[in-house]
Amino acid sequence: QVQLVESGGGLIQAGGSLRLSCAASGRTLNDVPTAWYRRPPGELKQFVAGLINGNAHYKDSVKGRFTISRDDAKNAIYLQMDNLQPEDTAVYYCAANDRPTYTGVFTYWGQGTQVTVSS
């Protein structure tokens, strides 16, 4: 049973920083694509950042502010979010694939963590 558990969300003022964590169990993350998505209020889930085939990819609006990383020893991925803005308010989800080949669809999802940015 593969489980992804996010943590690190919260309420923060605009301009602040948060670091989201995603701890995995049941499968190693070091050889599969992983990503962070978010669902803003009233909107569809959207890609935020991903580690795919050894490269980091970002949604345009978070480039230069967010950084995705992975710690193989802890079997976890992280999302460092700096200079947060109210439009970053969303439920953030981590995701992982079940095989090294990236298909555009992620197999495993966490339960989500709320990030709220006040102006």
Side-chain angles (χ1 to χ4, degrees):
Q1 181 81 5
V2 177
Q3 283 192 316
L4 303 177
V5 180
E6 303 98 334
S7 61
L11 172 64
I12 194 163
Q13 287 189 326
S17 297
L18 282 175
R19 186 187 191 221
L20 304 183
S21 301
C22 174
S25 60
R27 201 212 188 281
T28 181
L29 298 181
N30 65 7
D31 64 345
V32 296
T34 55
W36 288 94
Y37 280 70
R38 68 187 182 188
R39 189 193 303 273
E43 298 185 33
L44 297 175
K45 194 179 292 184
Q46 57 188 230
F47 174 86
V48 175
L51 282 173
I52 301 167
N53 297 328
N55 298 310
H57 302 267
Y58 297 96
K59 178 182 176 61
D60 284 347
S61 62
V62 307
K63 284 180 181 177
R65 300 189 298 122
F66 290 13
T67 304
I68 187 172
S69 62
R70 190 182 71 219
D71 186 330
D72 291 342
K74 296 184 177 180
N75 202 30
I77 62 170
Y78 304 94
L79 186 67
Q80 176 67 41
M81 305 185 295
D82 297 320
N83 190 22
L84 282 160
Q85 299 301 314
E87 53 265 33
D88 296 317
T89 294
V91 178
Y92 284 72
Y93 301 87
C94 65
N97 206 4
D98 63 346
R99 62 200 66 190
T101 303
Y102 178 59
T103 61
V105 177
F106 289 92
T107 309
Y108 307 113
W109 293 85
Q111 82 288 350
T113 186
Q114 176 70 47
V115 172
T116 302
V117 185
S118 63
S119 56

